[in-house]
Amino acid sequence: MNSFVPQEAALKTNSPQPVHLETAVEMILQYAQPVGTGKIGIRSALGRVLSEDIHAPVNLPPFNRSPLDGYAVRSEDIAGATTDSPVLLEINKEITTESNGNGKVELGKNQAAIVMTGTPLPPGADVVIKLEDVRKIEQKIEVVSPLPAYSNYCFAGEDIRQGERVLSKGTVIDPSSVGILAALGISVVPVYRRPKVAIISNGDELVEIDKQLKPGQIFDSNSYTIASYVRQVGARPIMAGTVGDNTELIARRISEMLKSADMIITTGGVSVGDFDLVRNALLSQGVKILFHRIAMRPGTPALGAVKNGKLIICLSGNQAAAFATFHLLAIPAIAGLMGITRPPLTITTAVLHDNYLKTSTQRNFLRGRTFFDEGVLKVKLAEKQNPGIIRSTLYCDALIDVPADSAPLQAGTRVKIVLIPSPWLQQN
Ligand code: AMP
Ligand code: MG
């Protein structure tokens, strides 16, 4: 690993040695700590990350209860019941849902109590007979077959036991977690603060989308893509706008954002051209550069830096490059700031649907879409794979990790993919 850690000397040149992606991520993660904790009302908790384990304050269900409508009885009373010699049990009218709830009235010998689905069972009862399995004769019921003790019987705590850890620190509160919190009567939830991620787009050619384009100009789209992903994963984007190719202006915008944001993402201006000034702007602010350039395409120019413990991740301006490196570098960082403990990216394999006939000297992350074909996970390549092709990012839910020096890939080859979660998205 050491050979890939950039040397100070290399970082001072304009074209530093590229580091392995995994090394870059490792460096970033050292600074990706949760940004703080707080409490939130359950109605706003969806999508937030728990900052503490949740232990059940009560049993669920809270009492022994009936799973169906019928009669609670003692199994020993009906042990000898047959069609030829039915057992008659007297309905105890004093037993109600309320008396069962506080356990005051015990079911006596040869008695039965009317119960409904979910109502507490009276002390003494150890079995429930279905309503339709008995004949009611005035204040009595006739039972014609026995039932083993504790059949049709739900125990207190059989779902969730009091004191048990039911939700874990570092997990995202999903709709089911919200329901479990409600079932346990927990209305205020300990969560991590949502990190603020500032997004700055750099380039003289960039125009805000509400302005008129002049010849040679393009709209800033990276800010929108990245802000949308930041919001989708549950962090708070700050769209810090565009800034031209001017070291001082870039430096000023970065230092401004360092005051309010927990992390900064920039796109553009980070290659080695004369107009790539982000690196100099960072150095003028006294940041610590962790790495510059990654051994991958698209997005080789990516840079990672830290100032006052805050991460600054600078990505190539090419839209597909920004897309790929945002997911590979910035998503793990954001997950760390959010306090998420599970690995932020899912790495798996899929079968390539198309031929990819180029030889790649560099490690390449191709954009693709996954689908199932008769139980097999496959991945379809976006048609054009150039770093500046924004269309390749549309509904892209997989980055195909093609190792350096790979031979051309035939359809049917099993490939490694990094999944980009895209719930509910259209797949065509
Ligand atoms: P750069 O990384 O600055 O060399 O830019 C590489 C390419 O990406 C150029 O064609 C830029 O015009 C384009 N680009 C840079 N920033 C953005 C942006 N925010 N939105 C869309 N395209 C961009
Ligand atoms: Mg530029």
Side-chain angles (χ1 to χ4, degrees), residues 4 32 62 91 96 148 164 174 222 225 241 246 256 288 319 334:
F4 297 105
I91 297 171
T96 60
E164 179 190 341
D174 68 351
N222 287 342
T225 315
N246 175 312
E256 236 169 70
K288 177 180 172 192
Q319 290 134 320
I334 294 169

Side-chain angles (χ1 to χ4, degrees), residues 201-203 205-206 218-223 242 245 267-271 275-276 301 315-319:
S201 282
N202 162 247
E205 75 283 22
L206 301 179
I218 58 168
F219 290 122
D220 161 28
S221 61
N222 287 342
S223 300
T242 59
D245 292 321
T267 67
V270 76
S271 317
F275 294 100
D276 295 315
L315 310 174
S316 159
N318 281 308
Q319 290 134 320

Side-chain angles (χ1 to χ4, degrees), residues 267-423:
T267 67
V270 76
S271 317
V272 291
D274 289 344
F275 294 100
D276 295 315
L277 306 171
V278 169
R279 179 194 169 91
N280 286 344
L282 289 171
L283 291 173
S284 77
Q285 294 302 298
V287 308
K288 177 180 172 192
I289 294 187
L290 301 172
F291 60 86
H292 188 183
R293 303 184 83 225
I294 299 187
M296 64 170 274
R297 278 175 56 78
T300 313
L303 180 154
V306 190
K307 175 77 194 273
N308 301 337
K310 292 184 180 177
L311 281 165
I312 307 169
I313 298 180
C314 307
L315 310 174
S316 159
N318 281 308
Q319 290 134 320
F323 175 90
T325 46
F326 169 78
H327 286 290
L328 297 170
L329 296 171
I331 284 285
I334 294 169
L337 296 181
M338 290 176 69
I340 292 173
T341 44
R342 60 162 269 188
L345 297 174
T346 303
I347 298 169
T348 182
T349 63
V351 171
L352 202 55
H353 173 266
D354 318 276
N355 291 325
Y356 183 72
L357 298 178
K358 286 191 183 159
T359 37
S360 335
T361 48
Q362 283 208 59
R363 184 179 184 183
N364 209 337
F365 282 90
L366 306 174
R367 273 76 62 217
R369 290 180 210 167
T370 59
F371 64 101
F372 277 100
D373 182 12
E374 299 192 351
V376 177
L377 183 67
K378 293 196 170 172
V379 62
K380 184 167 172 40
L381 282 178
E383 252 171 60
K384 293 181 186 156
Q385 290 286 343
N386 307 351
I389 299 288
I390 192 170
R391 182 179 271 273
S392 69
T393 68
L394 191 62
Y395 308 128
C396 167
D397 67 358
L399 294 169
I400 302 150
D401 186 355
V402 182
D405 300 319
S406 288
L409 300 175
Q410 304 291 335
T413 309
R414 187 163 281 279
V415 288
K416 194 166 147 189
I417 61 172
V418 180
L419 284 179
I420 295 168
S422 55

